[in-house]
Amino acid sequence: QLQLVESGGGLVQPGGSLRLSCVSLADNLDAYALAWFRQGPGNEREGVVCSSSTTGSTYYRDSVKGRFTISRDSAKNTVYLQMNSLKAEDTGVYYCAADSLPTLSLNPDAFQFWGQGTQVTVAS
């Protein structure tokens, strides 16, 4: 089973930046569709961005377009989420997810493998 571990969360002020990392401990991520999700206080888990390297496609939810960027370092078997111009509404637990199919979806049900999450708090 694919094992994912997130890191990089923390407390930042509005307008600040943060980079999250998600590393695979037991498998190569090259063939996987990758995504980031988040769950804010009192909210359901929502998709932030998904990416499929096999298709070369990436899709961001509207609220993070122009602010967040997903990237991948194949040599380190790691996927990143660079978050800029952070807002209070970005607060939540962020999860990385992967699926063996080259899907492009912000639906959490489309992803089989999940990390345990890392807390991001945006507050002044």
Side-chain angles (χ1 to χ4, degrees):
Q1 181 171 319
L2 182 63
Q3 185 176 1
L4 304 173
V5 180
E6 303 99 332
S7 62
L11 174 64
V12 295
Q13 296 183 353
S17 298
L18 205 61
R19 189 177 76 161
L20 307 182
S21 300
C22 175
V23 61
S24 171
L25 300 182
D27 202 6
N28 191 302
L29 293 174
D30 289 346
Y32 288 83
L34 302 173
W36 286 93
F37 293 81
R38 68 187 181 188
Q39 187 167 8
N43 297 323
E44 296 183 354
R45 190 170 301 183
E46 64 181 20
V48 177
V49 58
C50 60
S51 179
S52 173
S53 61
T54 57
T55 64
S57 300
T58 302
Y59 182 76
Y60 298 86
R61 72 179 300 109
D62 289 342
S63 62
V64 306
K65 288 180 179 178
R67 300 190 299 120
F68 289 13
T69 304
I70 189 171
S71 62
R72 183 190 312 222
D73 188 331
S74 295
K76 296 181 179 179
N77 212 22
T78 301
V79 61
Y80 303 95
L81 182 66
Q82 178 67 47
M83 305 184 294
N84 299 324
S85 302
L86 284 163
K87 306 174 181 179
E89 63 198 55
D90 296 318
T91 293
V93 179
Y94 282 69
Y95 302 87
C96 65
D99 194 81
S100 58
L101 298 176
T103 57
L104 191 66
S105 175
L106 295 182
N107 186 341
D109 292 338
F111 293 86
Q112 181 179 4
F113 305 105
W114 292 82
Q116 296 184 175
T118 184
Q119 176 70 43
V120 173
T121 302
V122 185
S124 59

